[in-house]
Amino acid sequence: MDISYPSETDLLRAEIAAAAARMIAEDGADFGTAKRKAVKQLLGNSKPRGDVLPDNAEIEAEVRLYNELFFGDTQPARLLHLRELAVALMTELEQFSPYLVGAVLNGTAGNHSDIHLHLFAESPKDVEIYLLNKNVQFEVSEGARQRPGGDPLEIVSFMWRNEGVHLSLHATDDLRGNHGKIERADLAALRQLMKSEEP
């Protein structure tokens, strides 16, 4: 009978994923930062081989596990609260075809999680003018490029009902394609997800 044990590489990858998940759940770190810090914590300054780095799906699975173990009594209510706020905000911003992405969508949101939406408009200024007319105080930063050689995305961030919100502003033409196949949900899909998870 052949019993296969995890290799040292598998064990190290699992350790890095678990350490990164703890930082995401406890401190609200983003995946990239958490992964870098976890590698430094476990390996010091030595450069890791590519095969020891967990992918985001492995880290996400560890975040779910961590939330169940340590926040099982509070995390589901926190997630529901953020999703309800996302529904309200997406309804408010419906003219910009909002999609929910990130931890609030995938169910790993915790105490430090913000709401992340993708909006689609002819120009980022359309969204900014809309928010200014609603007296929303926001900050604008640059995100990653949508595609090679393209312009960086504008990200509009503000506090809304005591929660952090980040709007990634995409061109209307980008609505048809889902570049990079990001997991996202429009208002109808989010409502359906919440209905399916009702006790």
Side-chain angles (χ1 to χ4, degrees):
M1 186 169 134
D2 180 31
I3 300 174
S4 58
Y5 294 98
S7 68
E8 274 188 42
T9 300
D10 290 339
L11 290 171
L12 183 56
R13 192 165 66 236
E15 269 190 79
I16 292 169
R22 189 177 64 249
M23 292 175 206
I24 291 165
E26 294 282 356
D27 310 322
D30 64 76
F31 276 65
T33 304
K35 200 186 296 192
R36 281 193 301 278
K37 284 186 174 176
V39 167
K40 190 163 176 58
Q41 200 176 73
L42 291 163
L43 299 176
N45 288 324
S46 58
K47 191 163 168 47
R49 296 193 321 269
D51 59 350
V52 303
L53 291 177
D55 62 23
N56 284 357
E58 290 172 273
I59 295 173
E60 187 182 307
E62 287 292 332
V63 173
R64 287 181 196 286
L65 194 59
Y66 194 93
N67 280 337
E68 281 174 31
L69 286 172
F70 297 103
F71 300 115
D73 54 342
T74 58
Q75 193 265 343
R78 169 73 181 153
L79 175 62
L80 180 60
H81 169 70
L82 288 171
R83 283 179 171 172
E84 285 171 344
L85 284 184
V87 165
L89 187 56
M90 290 166 79
T91 303
E92 177 74 37
L93 296 168
E94 202 154 14
Q95 71 190 78
F96 302 113
S97 307
Y99 281 80
L100 179 65
V101 297
V104 178
L105 175 59
N106 70 33
T108 60
N111 283 339
H112 301 281
S113 299
D114 291 340
I115 297 168
H116 291 262
L117 299 179
H118 286 185
L119 301 190
F120 298 84
E122 291 299 326
S123 161
K125 290 280 173 274
D126 295 346
V127 178
E128 291 164 19
I129 290 166
Y130 179 86
L131 293 173
L132 286 170
N133 287 337
K134 296 281 183 181
N135 296 316
V136 175
Q137 303 292 313
F138 58 83
E139 292 178 1
V140 180
S141 58
E142 282 191 352
R145 284 178 167 74
Q146 177 78 15
R147 59 176 72 84
D151 292 329
L153 286 176
E154 268 190 34
I155 298 174
V156 171
S157 302
F158 54 90
M159 293 300 292
W160 190 71
R161 298 188 188 176
N162 298 318
E163 299 294 349
V165 172
H166 307 279
L167 310 177
S168 295
L169 308 184
H170 299 254
T172 312
D173 291 349
D174 293 335
L175 190 54
R176 284 189 293 278
N178 184 359
H179 305 284
K181 297 293 175 270
I182 293 165
E183 186 188 0
R184 65 188 195 185
D186 63 11
L187 196 48
L190 176 57
R191 285 185 169 130
Q192 187 59 43
L193 173 67
M194 291 168 71
K195 199 171 182 341
S196 72
E197 292 185 356
E198 282 174 2

